[in-house]
PDB file of all heavy atoms in Angstrom:
ATOM      1  N   ARG A 261       9.073  -0.387  25.971  1.00 96.00           N
ATOM      2  CA  ARG A 261       7.741  -0.546  26.551  1.00 96.00           C
ATOM      3  C   ARG A 261       7.812  -1.133  27.964  1.00 96.00           C
ATOM      4  O   ARG A 261       7.151  -0.649  28.880  1.00 96.00           O
ATOM      5  CB  ARG A 261       6.902  -1.477  25.654  1.00 96.00           C
ATOM      6  CG  ARG A 261       5.464  -1.657  26.119  1.00 96.00           C
ATOM      7  CD  ARG A 261       4.705  -2.677  25.256  1.00 96.00           C
ATOM      8  NE  ARG A 261       4.657  -2.329  23.846  1.00 96.00           N
ATOM      9  CZ  ARG A 261       3.797  -1.462  23.308  1.00 96.00           C
ATOM     10  NH1 ARG A 261       2.903  -0.853  24.072  1.00 96.00           N
ATOM     11  NH2 ARG A 261       3.831  -1.206  22.012  1.00 96.00           N
ATOM     12  N   THR A 262       8.635  -2.193  28.122  1.00 93.00           N
ATOM     13  CA  THR A 262       8.568  -2.945  29.372  1.00 93.00           C
ATOM     14  C   THR A 262       9.498  -2.421  30.464  1.00 93.00           C
ATOM     15  O   THR A 262       9.399  -2.869  31.596  1.00 93.00           O
ATOM     16  CB  THR A 262       8.878  -4.440  29.112  1.00 93.00           C
ATOM     17  OG1 THR A 262      10.117  -4.520  28.400  1.00 93.00           O
ATOM     18  CG2 THR A 262       7.794  -5.085  28.291  1.00 93.00           C
ATOM     19  N   VAL A 263      10.379  -1.476  30.118  1.00 96.00           N
ATOM     20  CA  VAL A 263      11.207  -0.898  31.184  1.00 96.00           C
ATOM     21  C   VAL A 263      10.907   0.606  31.370  1.00 96.00           C
ATOM     22  O   VAL A 263      10.220   0.965  32.311  1.00 96.00           O
ATOM     23  CB  VAL A 263      12.700  -1.225  31.010  1.00 96.00           C
ATOM     24  CG1 VAL A 263      13.511  -0.632  32.182  1.00 96.00           C
ATOM     25  CG2 VAL A 263      12.899  -2.748  30.970  1.00 96.00           C
ATOM     26  N   PRO A 264      11.337   1.496  30.468  1.00 98.00           N
ATOM     27  CA  PRO A 264      11.056   2.920  30.744  1.00 98.00           C
ATOM     28  C   PRO A 264       9.557   3.231  30.867  1.00 98.00           C
ATOM     29  O   PRO A 264       9.137   3.880  31.827  1.00 98.00           O
ATOM     30  CB  PRO A 264      11.671   3.654  29.552  1.00 98.00           C
ATOM     31  CG  PRO A 264      12.637   2.713  28.937  1.00 98.00           C
ATOM     32  CD  PRO A 264      12.154   1.332  29.243  1.00 98.00           C
ATOM     33  N   LEU A 265       8.746   2.743  29.927  1.00 98.00           N
ATOM     34  CA  LEU A 265       7.319   3.080  30.003  1.00 98.00           C
ATOM     35  C   LEU A 265       6.655   2.400  31.196  1.00 98.00           C
ATOM     36  O   LEU A 265       5.938   3.031  31.962  1.00 98.00           O
ATOM     37  CB  LEU A 265       6.602   2.689  28.699  1.00 98.00           C
ATOM     38  CG  LEU A 265       5.082   2.941  28.721  1.00 98.00           C
ATOM     39  CD1 LEU A 265       4.754   4.412  28.986  1.00 98.00           C
ATOM     40  CD2 LEU A 265       4.431   2.489  27.419  1.00 98.00           C
ATOM     41  N   ARG A 266       6.916   1.123  31.386  1.00 96.00           N
ATOM     42  CA  ARG A 266       6.273   0.410  32.492  1.00 96.00           C
ATOM     43  C   ARG A 266       6.613   1.065  33.836  1.00 96.00           C
ATOM     44  O   ARG A 266       5.762   1.189  34.704  1.00 96.00           O
ATOM     45  CB  ARG A 266       6.737  -1.050  32.501  1.00 96.00           C
ATOM     46  CG  ARG A 266       6.085  -1.861  33.600  1.00 96.00           C
ATOM     47  CD  ARG A 266       6.794  -3.180  33.798  1.00 96.00           C
ATOM     48  NE  ARG A 266       6.102  -4.000  34.785  1.00 96.00           N
ATOM     49  CZ  ARG A 266       6.660  -5.002  35.437  1.00 96.00           C
ATOM     50  NH1 ARG A 266       7.917  -5.316  35.200  1.00 96.00           N
ATOM     51  NH2 ARG A 266       5.979  -5.694  36.309  1.00 96.00           N
ATOM     52  N   ASN A 267       7.865   1.480  33.980  1.00 96.00           N
ATOM     53  CA  ASN A 267       8.302   1.969  35.288  1.00 96.00           C
ATOM     54  C   ASN A 267       8.097   3.450  35.512  1.00 96.00           C
ATOM     55  O   ASN A 267       8.076   3.903  36.653  1.00 96.00           O
ATOM     56  CB  ASN A 267       9.782   1.637  35.501  1.00 96.00           C
ATOM     57  CG  ASN A 267      10.006   0.138  35.570  1.00 96.00           C
ATOM     58  OD1 ASN A 267       9.131  -0.605  36.004  1.00 96.00           O
ATOM     59  ND2 ASN A 267      11.160  -0.308  35.137  1.00 96.00           N
ATOM     60  N   THR A 268       7.999   4.243  34.439  1.00 98.00           N
ATOM     61  CA  THR A 268       7.838   5.681  34.680  1.00 98.00           C
ATOM     62  C   THR A 268       6.557   6.261  34.079  1.00 98.00           C
ATOM     63  O   THR A 268       6.233   7.420  34.339  1.00 98.00           O
ATOM     64  CB  THR A 268       9.070   6.498  34.215  1.00 98.00           C
ATOM     65  OG1 THR A 268       9.129   6.487  32.795  1.00 98.00           O
ATOM     66  CG2 THR A 268      10.364   5.955  34.796  1.00 98.00           C
ATOM     67  N   GLY A 269       5.847   5.481  33.231  1.00 98.00           N
ATOM     68  CA  GLY A 269       4.442   5.788  32.966  1.00 98.00           C
ATOM     69  C   GLY A 269       4.022   6.960  32.100  1.00 98.00           C
ATOM     70  O   GLY A 269       2.926   7.478  32.287  1.00 98.00           O
ATOM     71  N   SER A 270       4.826   7.378  31.124  1.00 98.00           N
ATOM     72  CA  SER A 270       4.354   8.447  30.238  1.00 98.00           C
ATOM     73  C   SER A 270       3.457   7.873  29.142  1.00 98.00           C
ATOM     74  O   SER A 270       3.744   7.990  27.945  1.00 98.00           O
ATOM     75  CB  SER A 270       5.536   9.179  29.598  1.00 98.00           C
ATOM     76  OG  SER A 270       6.208   9.929  30.564  1.00 98.00           O
ATOM     77  N   ALA A 271       2.362   7.242  29.567  1.00 98.00           N
ATOM     78  CA  ALA A 271       1.466   6.587  28.611  1.00 98.00           C
ATOM     79  C   ALA A 271       0.573   7.615  27.933  1.00 98.00           C
ATOM     80  O   ALA A 271       0.227   8.642  28.520  1.00 98.00           O
ATOM     81  CB  ALA A 271       0.609   5.553  29.342  1.00 98.00           C
ATOM     82  N   ILE A 272       0.177   7.329  26.691  1.00 98.00           N
ATOM     83  CA  ILE A 272      -0.749   8.207  25.981  1.00 98.00           C
ATOM     84  C   ILE A 272      -2.179   7.798  26.332  1.00 98.00           C
ATOM     85  O   ILE A 272      -2.476   6.613  26.499  1.00 98.00           O
ATOM     86  CB  ILE A 272      -0.499   8.159  24.451  1.00 98.00           C
ATOM     87  CG1 ILE A 272      -1.368   9.193  23.719  1.00 98.00           C
ATOM     88  CG2 ILE A 272      -0.706   6.754  23.875  1.00 98.00           C
ATOM     89  CD1 ILE A 272      -0.992   9.373  22.248  1.00 98.00           C
ATOM     90  N   SER A 273      -3.058   8.764  26.456  1.00 98.00           N
ATOM     91  CA  SER A 273      -4.460   8.465  26.712  1.00 98.00           C
ATOM     92  C   SER A 273      -5.079   7.840  25.457  1.00 98.00           C
ATOM     93  O   SER A 273      -4.792   8.278  24.337  1.00 98.00           O
ATOM     94  CB  SER A 273      -5.180   9.766  27.071  1.00 98.00           C
ATOM     95  OG  SER A 273      -6.442   9.815  26.467  1.00 98.00           O
ATOM     96  N   PRO A 274      -5.927   6.814  25.616  1.00 98.00           N
ATOM     97  CA  PRO A 274      -6.565   6.201  24.441  1.00 98.00           C
ATOM     98  C   PRO A 274      -7.346   7.233  23.622  1.00 98.00           C
ATOM     99  O   PRO A 274      -7.407   7.132  22.397  1.00 98.00           O
ATOM    100  CB  PRO A 274      -7.515   5.161  25.042  1.00 98.00           C
ATOM    101  CG  PRO A 274      -7.058   4.946  26.436  1.00 98.00           C
ATOM    102  CD  PRO A 274      -6.292   6.149  26.872  1.00 98.00           C
ATOM    103  N   PHE A 275      -7.916   8.224  24.295  1.00 98.00           N
ATOM    104  CA  PHE A 275      -8.667   9.255  23.568  1.00 98.00           C
ATOM    105  C   PHE A 275      -7.728  10.068  22.677  1.00 98.00           C
ATOM    106  O   PHE A 275      -8.059  10.380  21.527  1.00 98.00           O
ATOM    107  CB  PHE A 275      -9.410  10.163  24.560  1.00 98.00           C
ATOM    108  CG  PHE A 275     -10.347  11.138  23.886  1.00 98.00           C
ATOM    109  CD1 PHE A 275     -11.370  10.682  23.062  1.00 98.00           C
ATOM    110  CD2 PHE A 275     -10.201  12.505  24.070  1.00 98.00           C
ATOM    111  CE1 PHE A 275     -12.227  11.572  22.423  1.00 98.00           C
ATOM    112  CE2 PHE A 275     -11.051  13.399  23.430  1.00 98.00           C
ATOM    113  CZ  PHE A 275     -12.067  12.946  22.610  1.00 98.00           C
ATOM    114  N   ASN A 276      -6.542  10.403  23.187  1.00 98.00           N
ATOM    115  CA  ASN A 276      -5.575  11.114  22.345  1.00 98.00           C
ATOM    116  C   ASN A 276      -5.122  10.245  21.175  1.00 98.00           C
ATOM    117  O   ASN A 276      -4.948  10.740  20.065  1.00 98.00           O
ATOM    118  CB  ASN A 276      -4.369  11.555  23.169  1.00 98.00           C
ATOM    119  CG  ASN A 276      -4.654  12.827  23.953  1.00 98.00           C
ATOM    120  OD1 ASN A 276      -5.820  13.161  24.194  1.00 98.00           O
ATOM    121  ND2 ASN A 276      -3.625  13.525  24.356  1.00 98.00           N
ATOM    122  N   SER A 277      -4.941   8.946  21.428  1.00 98.00           N
ATOM    123  CA  SER A 277      -4.562   8.049  20.320  1.00 98.00           C
ATOM    124  C   SER A 277      -5.631   8.098  19.237  1.00 98.00           C
ATOM    125  O   SER A 277      -5.328   8.156  18.043  1.00 98.00           O
ATOM    126  CB  SER A 277      -4.405   6.610  20.808  1.00 98.00           C
ATOM    127  OG  SER A 277      -3.308   6.512  21.688  1.00 98.00           O
ATOM    128  N   PHE A 278      -6.905   8.090  19.654  1.00 98.00           N
ATOM    129  CA  PHE A 278      -8.020   8.153  18.702  1.00 98.00           C
ATOM    130  C   PHE A 278      -7.967   9.454  17.895  1.00 98.00           C
ATOM    131  O   PHE A 278      -8.088   9.443  16.663  1.00 98.00           O
ATOM    132  CB  PHE A 278      -9.347   8.043  19.472  1.00 98.00           C
ATOM    133  CG  PHE A 278     -10.558   8.326  18.632  1.00 98.00           C
ATOM    134  CD1 PHE A 278     -11.098   7.332  17.814  1.00 98.00           C
ATOM    135  CD2 PHE A 278     -11.158   9.573  18.646  1.00 98.00           C
ATOM    136  CE1 PHE A 278     -12.215   7.600  17.034  1.00 98.00           C
ATOM    137  CE2 PHE A 278     -12.273   9.849  17.859  1.00 98.00           C
ATOM    138  CZ  PHE A 278     -12.799   8.848  17.049  1.00 98.00           C
ATOM    139  N   LEU A 279      -7.787  10.574  18.580  1.00 98.00           N
ATOM    140  CA  LEU A 279      -7.770  11.868  17.870  1.00 98.00           C
ATOM    141  C   LEU A 279      -6.587  11.942  16.900  1.00 98.00           C
ATOM    142  O   LEU A 279      -6.705  12.472  15.796  1.00 98.00           O
ATOM    143  CB  LEU A 279      -7.715  13.027  18.867  1.00 98.00           C
ATOM    144  CG  LEU A 279      -9.014  13.272  19.639  1.00 98.00           C
ATOM    145  CD1 LEU A 279      -8.794  14.297  20.748  1.00 98.00           C
ATOM    146  CD2 LEU A 279     -10.123  13.739  18.706  1.00 98.00           C
ATOM    147  N   ILE A 280      -5.451  11.402  17.314  1.00 98.00           N
ATOM    148  CA  ILE A 280      -4.275  11.444  16.431  1.00 98.00           C
ATOM    149  C   ILE A 280      -4.493  10.520  15.225  1.00 98.00           C
ATOM    150  O   ILE A 280      -4.109  10.855  14.101  1.00 98.00           O
ATOM    151  CB  ILE A 280      -2.997  11.136  17.235  1.00 98.00           C
ATOM    152  CG1 ILE A 280      -2.724  12.302  18.205  1.00 98.00           C
ATOM    153  CG2 ILE A 280      -1.794  10.927  16.310  1.00 98.00           C
ATOM    154  CD1 ILE A 280      -1.734  12.020  19.307  1.00 98.00           C
ATOM    155  N   LEU A 281      -5.164   9.387  15.447  1.00 98.00           N
ATOM    156  CA  LEU A 281      -5.512   8.523  14.303  1.00 98.00           C
ATOM    157  C   LEU A 281      -6.407   9.265  13.317  1.00 98.00           C
ATOM    158  O   LEU A 281      -6.260   9.130  12.097  1.00 98.00           O
ATOM    159  CB  LEU A 281      -6.227   7.255  14.797  1.00 98.00           C
ATOM    160  CG  LEU A 281      -5.322   6.149  15.336  1.00 98.00           C
ATOM    161  CD1 LEU A 281      -6.143   5.111  16.107  1.00 98.00           C
ATOM    162  CD2 LEU A 281      -4.550   5.473  14.204  1.00 98.00           C
ATOM    163  N   GLN A 282      -7.352  10.048  13.834  1.00 98.00           N
ATOM    164  CA  GLN A 282      -8.206  10.855  12.937  1.00 98.00           C
ATOM    165  C   GLN A 282      -7.353  11.793  12.108  1.00 98.00           C
ATOM    166  O   GLN A 282      -7.544  11.932  10.913  1.00 98.00           O
ATOM    167  CB  GLN A 282      -9.192  11.713  13.761  1.00 98.00           C
ATOM    168  CG  GLN A 282     -10.322  10.986  14.384  1.00 98.00           C
ATOM    169  CD  GLN A 282     -11.168  10.276  13.345  1.00 98.00           C
ATOM    170  OE1 GLN A 282     -11.356   9.082  13.436  1.00 98.00           O
ATOM    171  NE2 GLN A 282     -11.653  10.957  12.350  1.00 98.00           N
ATOM    172  N   GLY A 283      -6.405  12.449  12.794  1.00 98.00           N
ATOM    173  CA  GLY A 283      -5.540  13.394  12.097  1.00 98.00           C
ATOM    174  C   GLY A 283      -4.702  12.706  11.028  1.00 98.00           C
ATOM    175  O   GLY A 283      -4.565  13.200   9.908  1.00 98.00           O
ATOM    176  N   LEU A 284      -4.169  11.532  11.368  1.00 98.00           N
ATOM    177  CA  LEU A 284      -3.293  10.829  10.414  1.00 98.00           C
ATOM    178  C   LEU A 284      -3.988  10.530   9.086  1.00 98.00           C
ATOM    179  O   LEU A 284      -3.353  10.512   8.038  1.00 98.00           O
ATOM    180  CB  LEU A 284      -2.790   9.515  11.028  1.00 98.00           C
ATOM    181  CG  LEU A 284      -1.659   9.629  12.049  1.00 98.00           C
ATOM    182  CD1 LEU A 284      -1.331   8.255  12.622  1.00 98.00           C
ATOM    183  CD2 LEU A 284      -0.410  10.244  11.419  1.00 98.00           C
ATOM    184  N   GLU A 285      -5.302  10.321   9.137  1.00 98.00           N
ATOM    185  CA  GLU A 285      -6.018   9.967   7.897  1.00 98.00           C
ATOM    186  C   GLU A 285      -5.816  11.011   6.801  1.00 98.00           C
ATOM    187  O   GLU A 285      -5.793  10.688   5.623  1.00 98.00           O
ATOM    188  CB  GLU A 285      -7.518   9.780   8.190  1.00 98.00           C
ATOM    189  CG  GLU A 285      -7.779   8.567   9.077  1.00 98.00           C
ATOM    190  CD  GLU A 285      -9.245   8.137   9.109  1.00 98.00           C
ATOM    191  OE1 GLU A 285     -10.088   8.767   8.443  1.00 98.00           O
ATOM    192  OE2 GLU A 285      -9.532   7.147   9.820  1.00 98.00           O
ATOM    193  N   THR A 286      -5.669  12.279   7.200  1.00 98.00           N
ATOM    194  CA  THR A 286      -5.532  13.353   6.195  1.00 98.00           C
ATOM    195  C   THR A 286      -4.111  13.911   6.109  1.00 98.00           C
ATOM    196  O   THR A 286      -3.890  14.949   5.491  1.00 98.00           O
ATOM    197  CB  THR A 286      -6.502  14.507   6.520  1.00 98.00           C
ATOM    198  OG1 THR A 286      -6.235  14.964   7.856  1.00 98.00           O
ATOM    199  CG2 THR A 286      -7.954  14.085   6.399  1.00 98.00           C
ATOM    200  N   LEU A 287      -3.147  13.240   6.752  1.00 98.00           N
ATOM    201  CA  LEU A 287      -1.790  13.808   6.814  1.00 98.00           C
ATOM    202  C   LEU A 287      -1.202  14.107   5.429  1.00 98.00           C
ATOM    203  O   LEU A 287      -0.639  15.180   5.204  1.00 98.00           O
ATOM    204  CB  LEU A 287      -0.853  12.859   7.593  1.00 98.00           C
ATOM    205  CG  LEU A 287       0.597  13.334   7.722  1.00 98.00           C
ATOM    206  CD1 LEU A 287       0.684  14.595   8.586  1.00 98.00           C
ATOM    207  CD2 LEU A 287       1.485  12.239   8.334  1.00 98.00           C
ATOM    208  N   ALA A 288      -1.348  13.177   4.498  1.00 98.00           N
ATOM    209  CA  ALA A 288      -0.722  13.366   3.178  1.00 98.00           C
ATOM    210  C   ALA A 288      -1.324  14.584   2.466  1.00 98.00           C
ATOM    211  O   ALA A 288      -0.593  15.405   1.892  1.00 98.00           O
ATOM    212  CB  ALA A 288      -0.886  12.102   2.331  1.00 98.00           C
ATOM    213  N   LEU A 289      -2.637  14.714   2.539  1.00 98.00           N
ATOM    214  CA  LEU A 289      -3.302  15.871   1.918  1.00 98.00           C
ATOM    215  C   LEU A 289      -2.873  17.166   2.582  1.00 98.00           C
ATOM    216  O   LEU A 289      -2.590  18.167   1.911  1.00 98.00           O
ATOM    217  CB  LEU A 289      -4.822  15.763   2.103  1.00 98.00           C
ATOM    218  CG  LEU A 289      -5.593  14.920   1.118  1.00 98.00           C
ATOM    219  CD1 LEU A 289      -7.053  14.845   1.550  1.00 98.00           C
ATOM    220  CD2 LEU A 289      -5.495  15.547  -0.274  1.00 98.00           C
ATOM    221  N   ARG A 290      -2.855  17.129   3.912  1.00 98.00           N
ATOM    222  CA  ARG A 290      -2.492  18.357   4.641  1.00 98.00           C
ATOM    223  C   ARG A 290      -1.053  18.775   4.348  1.00 98.00           C
ATOM    224  O   ARG A 290      -0.768  19.955   4.152  1.00 98.00           O
ATOM    225  CB  ARG A 290      -2.702  18.170   6.158  1.00 98.00           C
ATOM    226  CG  ARG A 290      -4.169  18.182   6.569  1.00 98.00           C
ATOM    227  CD  ARG A 290      -4.359  18.144   8.080  1.00 98.00           C
ATOM    228  NE  ARG A 290      -4.043  16.856   8.674  1.00 98.00           N
ATOM    229  CZ  ARG A 290      -2.966  16.579   9.383  1.00 98.00           C
ATOM    230  NH1 ARG A 290      -2.068  17.522   9.653  1.00 98.00           N
ATOM    231  NH2 ARG A 290      -2.760  15.373   9.873  1.00 98.00           N
ATOM    232  N   MET A 291      -0.131  17.816   4.321  1.00 98.00           N
ATOM    233  CA  MET A 291       1.276  18.181   4.087  1.00 98.00           C
ATOM    234  C   MET A 291       1.446  18.829   2.714  1.00 98.00           C
ATOM    235  O   MET A 291       2.231  19.759   2.543  1.00 98.00           O
ATOM    236  CB  MET A 291       2.199  16.960   4.222  1.00 98.00           C
ATOM    237  CG  MET A 291       2.342  16.422   5.632  1.00 98.00           C
ATOM    238  SD  MET A 291       2.613  17.655   6.921  1.00 98.00           S
ATOM    239  CE  MET A 291       4.349  18.023   6.684  1.00 98.00           C
ATOM    240  N   GLU A 292       0.694  18.344   1.733  1.00 98.00           N
ATOM    241  CA  GLU A 292       0.776  18.918   0.398  1.00 98.00           C
ATOM    242  C   GLU A 292       0.392  20.408   0.447  1.00 98.00           C
ATOM    243  O   GLU A 292       1.108  21.263  -0.085  1.00 98.00           O
ATOM    244  CB  GLU A 292      -0.203  18.143  -0.494  1.00 98.00           C
ATOM    245  CG  GLU A 292       0.062  18.225  -1.954  1.00 98.00           C
ATOM    246  CD  GLU A 292      -0.934  17.337  -2.707  1.00 98.00           C
ATOM    247  OE1 GLU A 292      -0.987  16.108  -2.434  1.00 98.00           O
ATOM    248  OE2 GLU A 292      -1.663  17.880  -3.538  1.00 98.00           O
ATOM    249  N   ARG A 293      -0.714  20.709   1.131  1.00 98.00           N
ATOM    250  CA  ARG A 293      -1.165  22.104   1.204  1.00 98.00           C
ATOM    251  C   ARG A 293      -0.243  22.951   2.094  1.00 98.00           C
ATOM    252  O   ARG A 293       0.060  24.098   1.777  1.00 98.00           O
ATOM    253  CB  ARG A 293      -2.617  22.152   1.708  1.00 98.00           C
ATOM    254  CG  ARG A 293      -3.177  23.559   1.817  1.00 98.00           C
ATOM    255  CD  ARG A 293      -3.234  24.278   0.480  1.00 98.00           C
ATOM    256  NE  ARG A 293      -4.142  23.644  -0.463  1.00 98.00           N
ATOM    257  CZ  ARG A 293      -5.465  23.854  -0.500  1.00 98.00           C
ATOM    258  NH1 ARG A 293      -6.031  24.688   0.342  1.00 98.00           N
ATOM    259  NH2 ARG A 293      -6.222  23.218  -1.369  1.00 98.00           N
TER     260      ARG A 293
END
Side-chain angles (χ1 to χ4, degrees):
R261 183 184 302 279
T262 52
V263 182
L265 177 59
R266 181 194 184 200
N267 295 330
T268 70
S270 290
I272 186 170
S273 139
F275 187 58
N276 280 21
S277 294
F278 170 82
L279 288 171
I280 291 165
L281 279 166
Q282 286 301 124
L284 282 177
E285 293 194 0
T286 56
L287 180 66
L289 276 175
R290 286 186 288 106
M291 291 315 282
E292 201 176 302
R293 180 62 64 84

